[in-house]
């Protein structure tokens, strides 16, 4: 893949927009990608750390709900406490990821998070949990973009979709089986065992990453030019941040998939808190029905990840993104128009399947389109926008539902997705040749 780098951060608006070569070899399968030693160890590290995270998060929610008797807003606050630092610091973290050595950054992040997880053992007040989860999130804001750079360097371009699918497969799989396994551990071994396991999982992840021979991901951020040599440290950081943001803004296809991903995460942010209210008030069903309906989202995601990676290899990433947006809208319309348990299960399956159609192609296009020297900044900005969208969904869902109702919120989200599809089709279609943006 051809990329061009800019030597002056202030001129980022004139960065050429790299585009995927249509003549790339046939996409690699998941099995092919796992034969790459670096990718295989990164995948093992993901399995270990994600499982530990689910255990710890479930244990925290269990403790603050049943022992500290937290209300709904306080429980939601746990999610916000974890996501907010990433949303706020994500753009800044990418500046440093682009300049720091990759392996030490990832290993240090895992090691620090291992220590922070142990602090959960001593937490007794609600604010203790908020503070510790926020601190873990601050460190994660450096790890996540670094992991994206590592994946980009581990596999060839035509293997990125399968590589991202493997990583997301772990996340969605744990979303289904994690709570059940965590429930057993909390019941028989106590919440503190989950915190200890999460800490150990970060240690295991750090050891696996430390054993990897990292291949060069490409050039790091360009050296300062005479125009910026005399600038203050804060000014230099700002210029680097501006370069990453400007690249996204002036790359129409990349901007579209980021907005699509953010829209999907906003819908899920709205959907999560409201589905219980929907089952109670619209379906007049039991908590058992709620559990079944909720599980369908994770099941749909898992099926979607594997199905799209197997049968959608010849489809362009943007086609999958459009299909994903359309599918989520269809699922929301079903929930709005047909308040029955069977239709709720069907709608949730469609939504989960469709979300998978957005996540993996979006990440893949971002990794292909971004020059190596901007990977950290663009990746962290991507992550920041997504987490901001999720937080917005969590916060706005309750407010909107009070004024217009839960089903109307679902209908509003469906309309938003349709508008985004139209905007993307009219103004954000990917370029097929290298073009310089004015």
């Amino acid at each position: 893949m051809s990329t061009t780098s800019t030597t002056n951060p202030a001129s980022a608006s004139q960065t050429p927009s790299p585009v995927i070569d249509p003549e790339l070899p046939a996409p690699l399968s998941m099995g092919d990608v796992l034969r790459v030693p670096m990718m295989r160890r990164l995948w093992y590290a993901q399995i270990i750390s994600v499982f530990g995270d689910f255990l710890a998060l479930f244990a925290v929610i269990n403790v603050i709900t049943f022992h500290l008797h937290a209300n709904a807003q306080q429980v939601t606050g746990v999610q916000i406490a974890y996501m907010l630092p990433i949303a706020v610091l994500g753009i800044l973290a990418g500046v440093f990821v682009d300049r720091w050595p990759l392996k030490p950054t990832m290993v240090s992040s895992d090691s620090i998070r291992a220590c922070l997880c142990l602090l959960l053992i001593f937490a007794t007040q609600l604010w203790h949990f908020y503070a510790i989860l926020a601190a873990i999130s601050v460190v994660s804001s450096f790890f996540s973009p670094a992991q994206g750079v590592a994946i980009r360097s581990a596999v060839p371009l035509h293997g990125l979709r399968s590589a991202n699918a493997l990583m997301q497969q772990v996340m969605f799989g744990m979303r289904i089986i994690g709570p059940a396994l965590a429930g057993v551990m909390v019941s028989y071994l106590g919440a503190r065992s989950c915190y200890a396991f999460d800490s150990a999982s970060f240690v295991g992840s750090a050891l696996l990453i430390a054993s990897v021979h990292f291949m060069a991901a490409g050039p790091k951020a360009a050296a300062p030019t005479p125009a910026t040599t005399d600038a203050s440290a804060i000014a230099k950081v700002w210029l680097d941040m501006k370069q990453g943001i400007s690249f996204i803004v002036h790359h129409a296809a990349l901007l579209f998939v980021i907005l699509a991903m953010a829209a999907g995460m906003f819908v899920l942010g709205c959907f999560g808190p409201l589905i219980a209210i929907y089952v109670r008030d619209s379906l007049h069903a039991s908590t058992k029905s709620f559990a079944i309906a909720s599980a369908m989202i994770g099941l749909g995601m898992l099926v979607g990840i594997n199905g799209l990676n197997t049968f959608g290899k010849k489809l362009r990433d943007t086609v999958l993104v459009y299909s994903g947006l359309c599918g989520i809208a269809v699922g929301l319309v079903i929930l709005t128009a047909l308040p029955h348990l069977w239709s709720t299960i069907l709608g949730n399956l469609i939504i989960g399947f469709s979300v998978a159609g957005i996540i993996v192609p979006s990440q893949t296009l971002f990794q292909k389109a971004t020059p190596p020297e901007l990977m950290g900044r663009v990746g962290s900005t991507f992550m920041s926008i997504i987490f901001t969208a999720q937080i917005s969904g969590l916060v706005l869902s309750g407010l909107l539902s009070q004024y217009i109702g839960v089903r109307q919120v679902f209908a509003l989200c469906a309309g938003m997705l349709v508008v985004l599809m139209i905007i993307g089709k009219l103004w954000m279609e990917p370029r097929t040749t290298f073009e310089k943006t004015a």
Side-chain angles (χ1 to χ4, degrees), residues 251-433:
H251 193 298
L254 184 58
L255 179 61
F256 169 65
V257 296
I258 290 177
L259 291 177
M261 184 78 162
M265 294 302 102
F266 176 82
V267 169
L268 286 185
C270 289
F271 192 79
L274 294 183
I275 188 62
I277 306 300
Y278 176 83
V279 170
R280 184 192 68 189
D281 295 345
S282 296
L283 304 185
H284 307 290
S286 64
T287 54
K288 181 179 179 180
S289 299
F290 165 64
I292 295 172
S294 298
M296 293 302 102
I297 292 285
L299 180 60
M301 288 179 175
L302 189 60
V303 172
I305 285 290
N306 289 278
L308 292 175
N309 194 67
T310 302
F311 302 107
K313 289 182 178 180
K314 295 183 179 180
L315 296 177
R316 289 187 303 153
D317 292 324
T318 46
V319 171
L320 291 177
V321 171
Y322 281 126
S323 301
L325 290 172
C326 182
I328 296 174
V330 169
L332 290 170
V333 169
I334 291 175
L335 293 177
T336 303
L338 300 172
H340 307 288
L341 181 58
W342 69 266
S343 58
T344 300
I345 292 174
L346 175 62
N348 287 3
L349 274 171
I350 292 173
I351 290 172
F353 187 91
S354 302
V355 167
I358 295 176
I359 292 177
V360 172
S362 296
Q363 291 178 327
T364 303
L365 195 148
F366 139 67
Q367 290 168 333
K368 290 178 178 178
T370 306
E373 67 272 18
L374 293 178
M375 279 290 294
R377 275 163 283 178
V378 175
S380 61
T381 302
F382 192 174
M383 180 179 62
S384 179
I385 292 172
I386 290 169
F387 275 83
T388 299
Q390 280 188 282
I391 294 171
S392 299
L394 284 170
V395 174
L396 291 177
S397 60
L399 297 175
L400 289 173
S401 63
Q402 290 180 3
Y403 290 100
I404 64 175
V406 173
R407 291 166 66 186
Q408 287 71 25
V409 172
F410 292 161
L412 183 64
C413 289
M416 178 191 70
L417 295 176
V418 172
V419 170
L420 181 59
M421 290 172 61
I422 295 172
I423 292 173
K425 192 67 179 175
L426 292 178
W427 291 292
M428 296 182 177
E429 281 288 344
R431 299 180 178 88
T432 56
T433 59

